[in-house]
CSV table of all heavy atoms in Angstrom, one decimal:
chain,number,residue,atom,x,y,z
A,13,ILE,N,25.2,11.5,9.6
A,13,ILE,CA,24.9,11.4,8.2
A,13,ILE,C,24.9,9.9,7.8
A,13,ILE,O,25.4,9.4,6.8
A,13,ILE,CB,25.9,12.1,7.3
A,13,ILE,CG1,26.4,13.5,8.0
A,13,ILE,CG2,25.3,12.3,5.8
A,13,ILE,CD1,27.4,14.0,7.1
A,14,THR,N,24.2,9.2,8.6
A,14,THR,CA,24.1,7.7,8.6
A,14,THR,C,22.7,7.1,8.7
A,14,THR,O,21.9,7.7,9.5
A,14,THR,CB,25.1,7.0,9.7
A,14,THR,OG1,26.3,7.6,9.4
A,14,THR,CG2,25.0,5.7,9.5
A,15,VAL,N,22.4,6.1,7.9
A,15,VAL,CA,21.2,5.3,8.0
A,15,VAL,C,21.7,3.9,8.4
A,15,VAL,O,22.6,3.4,7.8
A,15,VAL,CB,20.2,5.4,6.9
A,15,VAL,CG1,20.9,4.9,5.6
A,15,VAL,CG2,19.0,4.7,7.1
A,16,ASN,N,20.9,3.3,9.3
A,16,ASN,CA,21.3,2.0,9.6
A,16,ASN,C,20.2,1.0,9.5
A,16,ASN,O,19.0,1.4,9.6
A,16,ASN,CB,21.7,1.9,11.2
A,16,ASN,CG,23.0,2.9,11.5
A,16,ASN,OD1,24.0,2.7,10.8
A,16,ASN,ND2,22.7,3.8,12.3
A,17,LEU,N,20.5,-0.2,9.3
A,17,LEU,CA,19.5,-1.3,9.3
A,17,LEU,C,20.1,-2.4,10.2
A,17,LEU,O,21.0,-3.1,9.9
A,17,LEU,CB,19.2,-1.8,7.9
A,17,LEU,CG,18.3,-3.0,7.8
A,17,LEU,CD1,16.9,-2.5,8.1
A,17,LEU,CD2,18.3,-3.6,6.3
A,18,GLN,N,19.3,-2.7,11.3
A,18,GLN,CA,19.5,-3.7,12.3
A,18,GLN,C,18.6,-4.8,12.0
A,18,GLN,O,17.4,-4.6,12.1
A,18,GLN,CB,19.5,-3.2,13.7
A,18,GLN,CG,19.8,-4.3,14.7
A,18,GLN,CD,21.2,-4.8,14.8
A,18,GLN,OE1,22.0,-3.8,15.0
A,18,GLN,NE2,21.5,-6.0,14.8
A,19,MET,N,19.3,-6.1,11.6
A,19,MET,CA,18.4,-7.2,11.3
A,19,MET,C,18.8,-8.3,12.4
A,19,MET,O,20.0,-8.5,12.6
A,19,MET,CB,18.6,-7.7,9.9
A,19,MET,CG,18.2,-6.6,8.9
A,19,MET,SD,18.3,-7.3,7.3
A,19,MET,CE,16.8,-8.6,7.3
A,20,THR,N,17.7,-9.0,12.7
A,20,THR,CA,17.9,-10.1,13.7
A,20,THR,C,17.2,-11.3,13.2
A,20,THR,O,16.3,-11.2,12.3
A,20,THR,CB,17.4,-9.8,15.1
A,20,THR,OG1,16.1,-9.5,15.1
A,20,THR,CG2,18.2,-8.6,15.7
A,21,GLY,N,17.3,-12.5,13.8
A,21,GLY,CA,16.8,-13.6,13.2
A,21,GLY,C,16.9,-13.9,11.7
A,21,GLY,O,15.9,-14.2,11.1
A,22,LEU,N,18.1,-13.7,11.3
A,22,LEU,CA,18.4,-13.8,9.8
A,22,LEU,C,18.0,-15.2,9.3
A,22,LEU,O,18.2,-16.2,10.0
A,22,LEU,CB,19.9,-13.4,9.6
A,22,LEU,CG,20.1,-11.8,9.7
A,22,LEU,CD1,21.6,-11.7,9.7
A,22,LEU,CD2,19.6,-11.2,8.5
A,23,LYS,N,17.5,-15.2,8.1
A,23,LYS,CA,17.1,-16.4,7.5
A,23,LYS,C,17.9,-16.6,6.1
A,23,LYS,O,18.4,-15.5,5.5
A,23,LYS,CB,15.6,-16.4,7.1
A,23,LYS,CG,14.8,-16.1,8.4
A,23,LYS,CD,13.4,-15.9,7.9
A,23,LYS,CE,12.5,-15.7,9.1
A,23,LYS,NZ,11.0,-15.6,8.8
A,24,PRO,N,18.1,-17.7,5.6
A,24,PRO,CA,18.8,-17.9,4.3
A,24,PRO,C,18.2,-17.0,3.2
A,24,PRO,O,18.9,-16.6,2.3
A,24,PRO,CB,18.6,-19.4,4.0
A,24,PRO,CG,18.6,-19.9,5.3
A,24,PRO,CD,17.8,-19.0,6.3
A,25,GLU,N,16.8,-16.8,3.3
A,25,GLU,CA,16.2,-16.0,2.2
A,25,GLU,C,16.5,-14.6,2.3
A,25,GLU,O,16.1,-13.8,1.4
A,25,GLU,CB,14.6,-16.2,2.4
A,25,GLU,CG,14.1,-16.1,3.7
A,25,GLU,CD,13.8,-17.5,4.3
A,25,GLU,OE1,14.8,-18.3,4.2
A,25,GLU,OE2,12.7,-17.7,4.8
A,26,ASP,N,17.2,-14.2,3.4
A,26,ASP,CA,17.6,-12.8,3.5
A,26,ASP,C,18.9,-12.6,2.6
A,26,ASP,O,19.3,-11.5,2.6
A,26,ASP,CB,17.9,-12.4,4.9
A,26,ASP,CG,16.6,-12.4,5.7
A,26,ASP,OD1,15.6,-11.8,5.2
A,26,ASP,OD2,16.8,-12.8,6.9
A,27,THR,N,19.4,-13.6,2.2
A,27,THR,CA,20.7,-13.6,1.2
A,27,THR,C,20.5,-12.6,0.2
A,27,THR,O,19.5,-13.0,-0.7
A,27,THR,CB,21.1,-14.9,0.9
A,27,THR,OG1,21.5,-15.6,2.0
A,27,THR,CG2,22.4,-14.7,0.0
A,28,ALA,N,21.1,-11.6,-0.1
A,28,ALA,CA,21.0,-10.8,-1.2
A,28,ALA,C,22.0,-9.7,-1.2
A,28,ALA,O,22.8,-9.6,-0.3
A,28,ALA,CB,19.6,-10.1,-1.2
A,29,VAL,N,22.0,-8.9,-2.2
A,29,VAL,CA,23.0,-7.7,-2.2
A,29,VAL,C,22.0,-6.5,-1.5
A,29,VAL,O,21.0,-6.3,-2.1
A,29,VAL,CB,23.4,-7.3,-3.6
A,29,VAL,CG1,24.3,-6.0,-3.5
A,29,VAL,CG2,24.4,-8.4,-4.0
A,30,TYR,N,22.5,-5.8,-0.5
A,30,TYR,CA,21.8,-4.8,0.0
A,30,TYR,C,22.2,-3.4,-0.5
A,30,TYR,O,23.4,-3.2,-0.5
A,30,TYR,CB,21.8,-4.8,1.5
A,30,TYR,CG,21.0,-6.1,1.9
A,30,TYR,CD1,21.3,-7.4,1.8
A,30,TYR,CD2,19.8,-5.8,2.7
A,30,TYR,CE1,20.5,-8.4,2.3
A,30,TYR,CE2,18.9,-6.8,3.4
A,30,TYR,CZ,19.3,-8.1,3.1
A,30,TYR,OH,18.5,-9.1,3.6
A,31,TYR,N,21.2,-2.6,-0.9
A,31,TYR,CA,21.6,-1.3,-1.4
A,31,TYR,C,21.1,-0.1,-0.6
A,31,TYR,O,20.0,-0.3,-0.2
A,31,TYR,CB,21.1,-1.2,-2.8
A,31,TYR,CG,21.6,-2.1,-3.8
A,31,TYR,CD1,21.0,-3.3,-4.1
A,31,TYR,CD2,22.9,-1.8,-4.6
A,31,TYR,CE1,21.7,-4.1,-5.0
A,31,TYR,CE2,23.4,-2.6,-5.4
A,31,TYR,CZ,22.7,-3.8,-5.7
A,31,TYR,OH,23.3,-4.7,-6.6
A,32,CYS,N,21.9,0.8,-0.3
A,32,CYS,CA,21.4,2.1,0.4
A,32,CYS,C,20.8,3.0,-0.7
A,32,CYS,O,21.4,3.2,-1.8
A,32,CYS,CB,22.6,2.6,1.1
A,32,CYS,SG,22.1,4.2,2.0
A,33,ASN,N,19.7,3.6,-0.3
A,33,ASN,CA,19.0,4.6,-1.2
A,33,ASN,C,18.7,5.9,-0.6
A,33,ASN,O,18.3,5.9,0.6
A,33,ASN,CB,17.7,3.9,-1.8
A,33,ASN,CG,16.9,4.9,-2.6
A,33,ASN,OD1,15.9,5.4,-2.2
A,33,ASN,ND2,17.4,5.1,-3.9
A,34,ALA,N,18.9,7.0,-1.4
A,34,ALA,CA,18.5,8.2,-0.9
A,34,ALA,C,17.7,8.9,-2.0
A,34,ALA,O,18.0,9.0,-3.1
A,34,ALA,CB,19.7,9.0,-0.6
A,35,LYS,N,16.5,9.4,-1.6
A,35,LYS,CA,15.6,10.1,-2.6
A,35,LYS,C,14.9,11.3,-1.9
A,35,LYS,O,14.6,11.3,-0.7
A,35,LYS,CB,14.7,9.2,-3.2
A,35,LYS,CG,13.7,8.6,-2.2
A,35,LYS,CD,12.8,7.5,-3.0
A,35,LYS,CE,11.7,7.0,-2.0
A,35,LYS,NZ,10.8,6.0,-2.6
A,36,THR,N,14.7,12.3,-2.8
A,36,THR,CA,14.0,13.5,-2.3
A,36,THR,C,12.5,13.1,-2.1
A,36,THR,O,11.9,12.3,-3.0
A,36,THR,CB,14.2,14.6,-3.2
A,36,THR,OG1,14.0,14.2,-4.6
A,36,THR,CG2,15.5,15.2,-3.1
A,37,PRO,N,11.8,13.6,-1.1
A,37,PRO,CA,10.4,13.3,-1.1
A,37,PRO,C,9.6,13.8,-2.1
A,37,PRO,O,8.5,13.3,-2.6
A,37,PRO,CB,10.0,14.0,0.3
A,37,PRO,CG,11.4,14.1,1.2
A,37,PRO,CD,12.3,14.3,0.0
A,38,ASP,N,9.9,15.0,-2.7
A,38,ASP,CA,9.3,15.5,-3.9
A,38,ASP,C,9.6,14.8,-5.2
A,38,ASP,O,10.8,14.8,-5.4
A,38,ASP,CB,9.6,17.0,-3.9
A,38,ASP,CG,8.7,17.7,-4.9
A,38,ASP,OD1,8.1,17.1,-5.7
A,38,ASP,OD2,8.5,19.0,-4.7
A,39,ALA,N,8.8,14.1,-5.7
A,39,ALA,CA,9.0,13.2,-6.9
A,39,ALA,C,8.9,13.8,-8.3
A,39,ALA,O,9.1,13.3,-9.3
A,39,ALA,CB,8.1,11.9,-6.9
A,40,ARG,N,8.5,15.1,-8.2
A,40,ARG,CA,8.5,15.9,-9.5
A,40,ARG,C,9.9,15.9,-10.1
A,40,ARG,O,10.9,16.0,-9.5
A,40,ARG,CB,7.9,17.4,-9.3
A,40,ARG,CG,6.4,17.4,-8.8
A,40,ARG,CD,6.0,18.8,-8.6
A,40,ARG,NE,6.7,19.3,-7.4
A,40,ARG,CZ,6.6,20.6,-6.8
A,40,ARG,NH1,5.7,21.4,-7.6
A,40,ARG,NH2,7.2,20.9,-5.7
A,41,PRO,N,9.7,15.8,-11.5
A,41,PRO,CA,11.1,15.5,-12.2
A,41,PRO,C,12.2,16.8,-11.9
A,41,PRO,O,13.3,16.4,-11.8
A,41,PRO,CB,10.6,15.6,-13.6
A,41,PRO,CG,9.3,15.0,-13.7
A,41,PRO,CD,8.7,15.4,-12.3
A,42,SER,N,11.6,18.0,-11.7
A,42,SER,CA,12.6,19.0,-11.5
A,42,SER,C,13.2,19.1,-10.1
A,42,SER,O,14.2,19.8,-9.8
A,42,SER,CB,11.9,20.4,-11.7
A,42,SER,OG,10.7,20.5,-10.9
A,43,PHE,N,12.6,18.2,-9.1
A,43,PHE,CA,13.0,18.1,-7.8
A,43,PHE,C,13.6,16.9,-7.4
A,43,PHE,O,14.4,16.7,-6.4
A,43,PHE,CB,11.9,18.6,-6.9
A,43,PHE,CG,11.5,20.1,-6.9
A,43,PHE,CD1,10.3,20.3,-7.7
A,43,PHE,CD2,12.1,21.0,-6.3
A,43,PHE,CE1,10.0,21.5,-7.8
A,43,PHE,CE2,11.8,22.3,-6.5
A,43,PHE,CZ,10.6,22.6,-7.2
A,44,ARG,N,13.3,15.8,-8.3
A,44,ARG,CA,13.6,14.5,-7.9
A,44,ARG,C,15.1,14.2,-7.9
A,44,ARG,O,15.8,14.5,-8.9
A,44,ARG,CB,12.9,13.4,-8.8
A,44,ARG,CG,13.0,12.0,-8.5
A,44,ARG,CD,12.5,11.7,-7.2
A,44,ARG,NE,12.4,10.3,-7.0
A,44,ARG,CZ,11.8,9.7,-5.9
A,44,ARG,NH1,11.1,10.5,-5.0
A,44,ARG,NH2,11.6,8.4,-5.8
A,45,ARG,N,15.7,13.6,-6.9
A,45,ARG,CA,16.9,13.1,-6.8
A,45,ARG,C,16.8,11.7,-6.2
A,45,ARG,O,16.1,11.4,-5.3
A,45,ARG,CB,17.8,13.9,-5.9
A,45,ARG,CG,17.9,15.3,-6.3
A,45,ARG,CD,18.7,15.5,-7.5
A,45,ARG,NE,18.8,17.0,-7.8
A,45,ARG,CZ,18.0,17.8,-8.5
A,45,ARG,NH1,17.0,17.2,-9.1
A,45,ARG,NH2,18.4,18.9,-8.8
A,46,ASP,N,17.6,10.8,-6.8
A,46,ASP,CA,17.5,9.4,-6.5
A,46,ASP,C,19.0,8.8,-6.6
A,46,ASP,O,19.5,8.7,-7.7
A,46,ASP,CB,16.7,8.6,-7.4
A,46,ASP,CG,16.1,7.4,-6.8
A,46,ASP,OD1,16.8,6.9,-5.8
A,46,ASP,OD2,15.2,6.7,-7.4
A,47,TYR,N,19.5,8.4,-5.5
A,47,TYR,CA,20.9,8.0,-5.5
A,47,TYR,C,21.0,6.6,-4.8
A,47,TYR,O,20.3,6.2,-3.9
A,47,TYR,CB,21.9,8.8,-4.7
A,47,TYR,CG,21.8,10.2,-5.3
A,47,TYR,CD1,21.1,11.3,-4.5
A,47,TYR,CD2,22.4,10.6,-6.4
A,47,TYR,CE1,21.1,12.7,-5.0
A,47,TYR,CE2,22.5,11.8,-6.9
A,47,TYR,CZ,21.9,13.0,-6.3
A,47,TYR,OH,21.7,14.2,-6.7
A,48,TRP,N,22.0,5.7,-5.3
A,48,TRP,CA,22.1,4.4,-4.8
A,48,TRP,C,23.6,4.1,-4.3
A,48,TRP,O,24.5,4.7,-5.0
A,48,TRP,CB,21.8,3.4,-5.9
A,48,TRP,CG,20.3,3.6,-6.3
A,48,TRP,CD1,19.7,4.2,-7.3
A,48,TRP,CD2,19.3,2.6,-5.7
A,48,TRP,NE1,18.3,4.1,-7.3
A,48,TRP,CE2,18.1,3.0,-6.2
A,48,TRP,CE3,19.2,1.7,-4.7
A,48,TRP,CZ2,16.8,2.4,-6.0
A,48,TRP,CZ3,18.0,1.0,-4.3
A,48,TRP,CH2,16.9,1.6,-5.0
A,49,GLY,N,23.8,3.4,-3.4
A,49,GLY,CA,25.1,2.9,-3.2
A,49,GLY,C,25.4,1.7,-4.1
A,49,GLY,O,24.6,1.3,-4.8
A,50,GLN,N,26.7,1.3,-3.9
A,50,GLN,CA,27.1,0.3,-4.9
A,50,GLN,C,26.7,-1.2,-4.4
A,50,GLN,O,26.8,-2.1,-5.2
A,50,GLN,CB,28.6,0.2,-4.9
A,50,GLN,CG,29.4,-0.1,-3.7
A,50,GLN,CD,30.9,0.1,-4.0
A,50,GLN,OE1,31.3,-0.1,-5.0
A,50,GLN,NE2,31.7,0.6,-3.0
A,51,GLY,N,26.1,-1.3,-3.1
A,51,GLY,CA,25.6,-2.5,-2.6
A,51,GLY,C,26.7,-3.3,-1.7
A,51,GLY,O,27.9,-3.3,-2.0
A,52,THR,N,26.2,-4.0,-0.8
A,52,THR,CA,27.0,-4.7,0.0
A,52,THR,C,26.3,-6.3,0.2
A,52,THR,O,25.1,-6.3,0.3
A,52,THR,CB,27.2,-4.2,1.5
A,52,THR,OG1,28.0,-4.9,2.2
A,52,THR,CG2,25.7,-4.1,2.2
A,53,GLN,N,27.1,-7.3,0.0
A,53,GLN,CA,26.5,-8.6,0.1
A,53,GLN,C,26.4,-9.1,1.4
A,53,GLN,O,27.2,-9.1,2.3
A,53,GLN,CB,27.6,-9.6,-0.7
A,53,GLN,CG,27.2,-11.0,-0.6
A,53,GLN,CD,26.1,-11.2,-1.5
A,53,GLN,OE1,26.0,-10.9,-2.7
A,53,GLN,NE2,25.0,-12.1,-1.1
């Protein structure tokens, strides 16, 4: 139950708060779900 992001060759411009997102493929209002993590610096 995990999604990973492996980054190499990091640059100063990569500095940011990174957020995990989960959303349902069906964007219709009755089906749409969109969740966010609190972020990691």
